[in-house]
Amino acid sequence: MKFNFLHNFGRYILMLRSAISRPEKFSMYWKETMRQMNDIGVGSLVIVCLIAVFIGAVTAVQFAYQLQDSFVPNYYIGYIVRDSTIIELAPTITCLVLAGKVGSNIAAEIGGMRQKEHIDAMEIMGVNTAAYLIMPKVIAALFVIPLLVCTAAVVSITGGYMSSVPTGWITDAEYIRGVRSFFESYYVLMMFVKAIVFAFILTTVPAYQGYYVKGGSIELGQASTQAVVYSDILILLADYLIALLLTV
Amino acid sequence: MIRIENIRKSFGDVEVLKGVSTTFEPGKSNLIIGKSGAGKTVMLKILVGLLRPTSGNIWYGDINFGELDKKQLRALRMDVGMLFQGSALFDSMTVEENVRFPLDMFTNKTAKEKLDRVNYCLERVNLEGVNDKFPSETSGGMQKRIGIARSIVLEPKYLFCDEPNSGLDPTTALLIDELIVDITKENNITTIINTHDMNSVMEIGDNIVLLHHGELVWQGNKDEVVESDNSVLQDFIFASPFLQRLRKAALAGGGKL
């Protein structure tokens, strides 16, 4: 088990090293990166917004319920929704969802190419397959996922408003006052740091699972599942480490 | 020309290739034949660099393949074309995009020059008007021909074909064989074909290498097959009673089939 981990970790690092190299043809990599930006970004926008609006809504309702009959002022609901969204919920929940959607897709796409000998065909042509198949996905994710997380934060805060103001838990003025109170721009930086680290994890780990897949369709399915499970675990671990590092 | 010297390959304790040495010459159809598990595919993968041999040398002309670094290897691969058993065409690309892919990746030709080259290669394999089709919309024989077109689009010096006839009817298989031979002779390419199709052996085998349990047990050309007294070769080529009777008849008539 121990050596298996070291073997996989070593191979993962070697794959990344191989992926970081000068493109054979910049225009081909650019085209592929644009395609990936569209697939990861535009393709995930609806699900990210849908989840974000409910996260904000539930957070607001839960806190409104817990704060009722307490001495804590009502406008704190907006403040709590904003900070919990920016610091934790938007980057972490969004990236956990993306690990499922985008990560499984990457593992299946690259794994399928391995099994159908597409990767061998490219290698024989002289293409650096680790670079061509993995780097555009990583670069696209590093640009697009922070934007998705940012969108998720805005939508989540809006979701909090929609669930608490029209239903009478809190007034419009109170919610907006809460959202504007005690704002720390450092939390936004923390959100982007998390989004970038998580984006790297949720693309490279599935890419590794797909790139080295062996066997048939059952193994491809397993690789896709492992890609999501390992990405999720690593995202949560990274979340904890970033929280430790950036809040000390 | 490709020359291999004492190639060995082991997977764990299992030795798949046991010191194979031979030469594959340009302009000829070099065939690697043998039963399933004889080591043909491993040999081909070693020749194209998808696997590293446990020991031994491979020479592409004067270049020792094993001593190349990654950059030099990629440069050499520009001279290599390969037709895969399953064609390995990219499903999400059209036929034209598939054939054009190596040009897009490695050349600075204009769009028109690339299109002209793609069309020439598709015409060369007798495929016209299929540019906008996807591989899934073409037959198995067409996919093989698209694979050949893609493998020759960069004008390679070396062409490798892994089971080019598998899954094809005899007529189409013959057409694919003829196509490979014509392209080999026209461009003086060193072509290595991995096959266990007996029609191919008897029709196009200029240089046949027989592998058995990882060892080279016989080498010759198609005209020497019938008269050879190598029992492994005879068991392999003339496996059925019908083919054995055919061989006897051929021997009685002077050794020609």
Side-chain angles (χ1 to χ4, degrees):
Chain A
M1 180 69 188
K2 186 177 165 189
F3 291 112
N4 198 24
F5 166 76
L6 288 177
H7 169 77
N8 281 305
F9 184 70
R11 212 163 50 154
Y12 171 75
I13 297 295
L14 287 175
M15 181 196 78
L16 291 180
R17 199 182 73 174
S18 179
I20 301 167
S21 69
R22 194 161 161 263
E24 293 89 356
K25 192 78 175 289
F26 183 78
S27 60
M28 290 290 280
Y29 280 66
W30 175 256
K31 202 168 119 186
E32 183 61 13
T33 305
M34 291 296 114
R35 190 177 76 83
Q36 293 297 335
M37 280 187 178
N38 184 55
D39 286 357
I40 297 171
V42 179
S44 307
L45 194 58
V46 173
I47 184 79
V48 164
C49 288
L50 195 66
I51 287 162
V53 77
F54 281 104
I55 286 171
V58 171
T59 309
V61 170
Q62 287 287 336
F63 275 103
Y65 173 73
Q66 288 182 7
L67 296 184
Q68 69 180 348
D69 304 327
S70 75
F71 293 110
V72 179
N74 271 350
Y75 76 88
Y76 262 58
I77 293 169
Y79 158 59
I80 290 168
V81 169
R82 184 203 68 205
D83 273 5
S84 57
T85 293
I86 291 175
I87 295 170
E88 180 63 15
L89 298 176
T92 310
I93 302 292
T94 301
C95 288
L96 287 174
V97 170
L98 289 176
K101 185 186 175 292
V102 176
S104 63
N105 188 287
I106 289 174
E109 182 186 324
I110 297 179
M113 292 184 78
R114 170 68 74 193
Q115 290 183 335
K116 289 180 184 172
E117 295 182 310
H118 293 175
I119 293 181
D120 287 348
M122 285 187 185
E123 281 285 341
I124 289 166
M125 285 175 202
V127 177
N128 179 352
T129 53
Y132 181 65
L133 296 176
I134 296 168
M135 280 322 281
K137 291 178 174 60
V138 175
I139 291 168
L142 290 177
F143 274 97
V144 166
I145 288 178
L147 294 177
L148 281 176
V149 168
C150 201
T151 307
V154 172
V155 172
S156 179
I157 293 168
T158 310
Y161 178 91
M162 283 159 57
S163 71
S164 57
V165 175
T167 51
W169 287 102
I170 183 175
T171 66
D172 175 79
E174 282 173 327
Y175 190 84
I176 290 171
R177 184 185 168 197
V179 169
R180 298 178 67 179
S181 299
F182 320 116
F183 180 70
E184 292 275 352
S185 57
Y186 180 67
Y187 293 158
V188 177
L189 173 75
M190 200 186 280
M191 178 183 79
F192 280 119
V193 169
K194 285 186 178 183
I196 288 168
V197 172
F198 298 166
F200 185 78
I201 291 170
L202 74 87
T203 46
T204 55
V205 172
Y208 172 77
Q209 292 292 335
Y211 195 73
Y212 290 107
V213 75
K214 282 181 181 165
S217 52
I218 291 174
E219 286 77 8
L220 183 58
Q222 285 170 345
S224 192
T225 306
Q226 281 173 350
V228 177
V229 172
Y230 292 152
S231 298
D232 282 350
I233 292 169
L234 288 170
I235 284 171
L236 293 172
L237 182 66
D239 188 27
Y240 174 65
L241 293 175
I242 293 168
L244 278 183
L245 288 170
L246 297 185
T247 54
V248 173
Chain B
M1 186 180 75
I2 294 176
R3 184 161 51 88
I4 58 175
E5 293 172 347
N6 202 25
I7 291 290
R8 291 179 180 275
K9 178 67 184 175
S10 300
F11 295 99
D13 295 335
V14 182
E15 195 172 31
V16 179
L17 291 177
K18 301 167 183 169
V20 179
S21 301
T22 188
T23 301
F24 302 107
E25 289 180 11
K28 287 185 177 177
S29 304
N30 299 284
L31 269 55
I32 301 173
I33 63 170
K35 290 179 184 170
S36 299
K40 304 188 300 291
T41 301
V42 172
M43 170 79 109
L44 204 69
K45 285 189 172 180
I46 286 174
L47 284 169
V48 295
L50 290 176
L51 287 174
R52 290 249 173 204
T54 308
S55 65
N57 291 311
I58 302 164
W59 295 85
Y60 274 63
D62 298 329
I63 301 166
N64 188 341
F65 196 60
E67 289 178 357
L68 300 178
D69 60 28
K70 274 191 175 178
K71 203 174 169 185
Q72 291 168 320
L73 188 61
R74 293 218 169 88
L76 177 68
R77 279 179 170 162
M78 302 276 288
D79 288 334
V80 173
M82 180 154 178
L83 173 63
F84 283 83
Q85 188 173 356
S87 300
L89 300 174
F90 308 133
D91 312 315
S92 58
M93 296 182 189
T94 62
V95 169
E96 183 183 310
E97 288 166 341
N98 261 286
V99 179
R100 203 181 62 210
F101 183 83
L103 295 171
D104 285 338
M105 190 59 101
F106 298 111
T107 70
N108 291 316
K109 290 177 189 285
T110 63
K112 188 183 178 309
E113 286 170 335
K114 286 185 213 169
L115 183 62
D116 288 345
R117 179 68 190 157
V118 168
N119 285 337
Y120 169 79
C121 290
L122 286 173
E123 277 171 32
R124 186 65 199 80
V125 297
N126 306 318
L127 280 177
E128 286 163 76
V130 296
N131 293 39
D132 296 328
K133 284 186 187 292
F134 283 90
S136 59
E137 297 169 340
T138 60
S139 68
M142 287 166 87
Q143 288 179 14
K144 295 277 183 188
R145 283 187 278 166
I146 298 163
I148 295 173
R150 187 177 67 182
S151 63
I152 62 169
V153 76
L154 286 178
E155 300 178 70
K157 290 180 190 161
Y158 309 97
L159 180 63
F160 297 89
C161 306
D162 188 14
E163 310 266 3
N165 299 329
S166 68
L168 300 180
D169 63 85
T171 314
T172 310
L174 206 61
L175 285 174
I176 297 290
D177 279 345
E178 284 171 2
L179 199 56
I180 293 170
V181 169
D182 290 348
I183 288 168
T184 300
K185 293 194 190 312
E186 273 170 29
N187 304 293
N188 200 33
I189 297 172
T190 302
T191 299
I192 300 175
I193 304 165
N194 188 354
T195 186
H196 44 58
D197 183 85
M198 288 314 101
N199 285 332
S200 300
V201 174
M202 299 311 288
E203 291 293 335
I204 64 168
D206 296 329
N207 175 32
I208 303 164
V209 170
L210 174 64
L211 293 182
H212 186 65
H213 295 315
E215 289 179 84
L216 194 161
V217 293
W218 184 83
Q219 185 163 10
N221 61 43
K222 60 186 177 187
D223 298 325
E224 295 164 346
V225 167
V226 178
E227 290 182 334
S228 168
D229 56 3
N230 185 299
S231 59
V232 178
L233 179 73
Q234 298 311 330
D235 288 349
F236 179 65
I237 302 275
F238 303 102
S240 70
F242 168 72
L243 289 171
Q244 285 161 11
R245 287 198 299 276
L246 197 67
R247 179 176 178 249
K248 277 181 188 166
L251 285 171
K256 291 278 180 190
L257 269 176

